[in-house]
Amino acid sequence: MITIREKNFNIREIAISGQCFRMKQMDGYFEVVAKDKCIKISQKGQEITFHCTKKDFENFWKHYFDLETNYGKIIRSIDPKDDYLKAAASSCKGIRILNQDPWEMIITFIISQQNNIPRIKKIVEALCEKYGEEIQGRNQYAFPTSQALATATEKDLLALGLGYRAKYILKTARDIACGDFDLLSLCEDDYETARKKLLTLYGVGPKVADCICLFGLHHVEAFPIDTHIKQVFAKHYPKGFPFERYEGYAGILQQYMFYYDLNK
DNA sequence: ACCCAGGATGGTG
DNA sequence: CACCATCATGGG
């Protein structure tokens, strides 16, 4: 168990930010499942307690929650004249851009298309229960490996409620499991290269590719444009969003706007 | 019964 | 290039 103090960290905001789908609010704490790991986290004000060993915190969770980045500095860089962006960031100053598993992001964000967040969570959970390994003593299931998912049939996936995305998931899982699509080299690529490669996957378009880049590869310049952001742009940035001002990390600001619009 | 949800694909003009 | 029907499913 390890407790830290951090201004720009709010586990509740992160849990409902729509970038992760396996973070659950329990009675007095949050339960987080990532890849094949599970942790309980509680927070009182700026004191955050990670219920794990110091070793696991240092080796995994610290990086997972992007605790080495200064988010205060990012928020302070917002144009003081941009009232909307200031309000958006102010509504969720505790968001972090998580360092999630690329494979997990590919699958979950293919599922996310034309879908709502509660339902995405439900489907991801069902997928883990059916194809993931049990995490010992946790009553939780790891995210399935590509090899495990590759053994599924389209009918199996349809039964889980995946709908028309079932065929996307199957082909992508199989292409990755057999090594036809190389995940390891993807992790070495810069944003533009990674994005281009991701677009070759069946079921991955521009928006999903950017979500994978942002949440799975930590290319914080990636800026996913979904239905919410389109509405925000139409309403608050009719003359265009000032991307040039936030070059290299606009994706973080995207999360503030997404959150603000989602919870309005 | 109608509309929407962190869109992508395949076809057409 | 731009547009557009279609793709399953559940929740409002």
Side-chain angles (χ1 to χ4, degrees):
Chain A
M1 197 167 101
I2 175 163
T3 299
I4 64 165
R5 285 185 66 84
E6 171 64 51
K7 269 188 186 173
N8 295 107
F9 187 104
N10 186 302
I11 189 65
R12 187 189 63 82
E13 290 170 6
I14 295 169
I16 63 172
S17 68
Q19 59 176 308
C20 53
F21 302 97
R22 304 197 70 194
M23 207 170 281
K24 260 195 308 189
Q25 178 156 24
M26 311 299 276
D27 191 17
Y29 63 95
F30 283 81
E31 188 165 65
V32 183
V33 186
K35 212 170 174 179
D36 59 345
K37 300 179 190 304
C38 180
I39 189 175
K40 294 178 181 182
I41 296 173
S42 50
Q43 176 165 15
K44 280 183 187 164
Q46 295 182 13
E47 280 193 5
I48 309 113
T49 301
F50 298 80
H51 297 257
C52 67
T53 65
K54 184 172 169 58
K55 194 173 179 181
D56 282 343
F57 177 75
E58 292 296 335
N59 291 342
F60 187 81
W61 297 110
K62 186 176 177 179
H63 182 245
Y64 179 83
F65 284 105
D66 202 26
L67 290 172
E68 49 281 271
T69 299
N70 185 342
Y71 281 76
K73 186 179 170 186
I74 291 162
I75 292 172
R76 285 193 296 276
S77 80
I78 293 173
D79 183 351
K81 294 192 294 293
D82 191 335
D83 290 331
Y84 180 78
L85 192 48
K86 277 195 298 182
S90 173
S91 77
C92 52
K93 295 188 284 287
I95 283 189
R96 322 287 295 191
I97 303 298
L98 303 176
N99 285 284
Q100 301 187 78
D101 182 63
W103 153 250
E104 193 169 335
M105 292 302 95
I106 290 171
I107 298 305
T108 54
F109 276 95
I110 288 177
I111 295 172
S112 79
Q113 66 183 252
Q114 197 64 19
N115 214 339
N116 58 61
I117 292 177
R119 194 157 170 271
I120 297 166
K121 287 183 178 174
K122 201 172 155 192
I123 294 173
V124 169
E125 219 45 50
L127 209 58
C128 293
E129 281 178 27
K130 189 163 173 65
Y131 298 100
E133 296 282 330
E134 190 174 358
I135 302 176
Q136 288 307 319
R138 293 286 197 167
N139 198 23
Q140 288 286 174
Y141 290 84
F143 196 84
T145 64
S146 58
Q147 290 81 5
L149 251 195
T151 67
T153 67
E154 190 171 341
K155 191 178 277 184
D156 292 336
L157 297 183
L158 282 173
L160 299 181
L162 276 161
Y164 69 90
R165 310 165 195 86
K167 55 182 180 296
Y168 299 161
I169 298 292
L170 250 192
K171 174 150 176 49
T172 291
R174 288 177 178 171
D175 285 348
I176 290 175
C178 77
D180 199 1
F181 185 94
D182 185 10
L183 269 184
L184 286 179
S185 75
L186 183 75
C187 298
E188 304 300 316
D189 294 327
D190 60 24
Y191 166 57
E192 300 292 346
T193 309
R195 186 176 193 274
K196 227 172 269 178
K197 283 188 186 175
L198 286 166
L199 287 174
T200 68
L201 289 171
Y202 190 42
V204 175
K207 187 268 173 184
V208 169
D210 277 330
C211 282
I212 298 164
C213 285
L214 184 56
F215 306 131
L217 299 167
H218 211 72
H219 293 307
V220 290
E221 67 266 52
F223 195 100
I225 297 178
D226 73 324
T227 54
H228 295 279
I229 295 297
K230 279 177 188 167
Q231 289 176 30
V232 168
F233 278 6
K235 197 167 182 180
H236 302 281
Y237 298 96
K239 292 185 290 185
F241 184 77
F243 285 103
E244 62 288 350
R245 183 189 172 99
Y246 309 108
E247 207 172 340
Y249 65 99
I252 301 176
L253 305 174
Q254 190 272 10
Q255 269 302 279
Y256 296 143
M257 292 188 280
F258 175 80
Y259 181 100
Y260 193 45
D261 189 70
L262 189 68
N263 298 100
K264 71 179 185 291

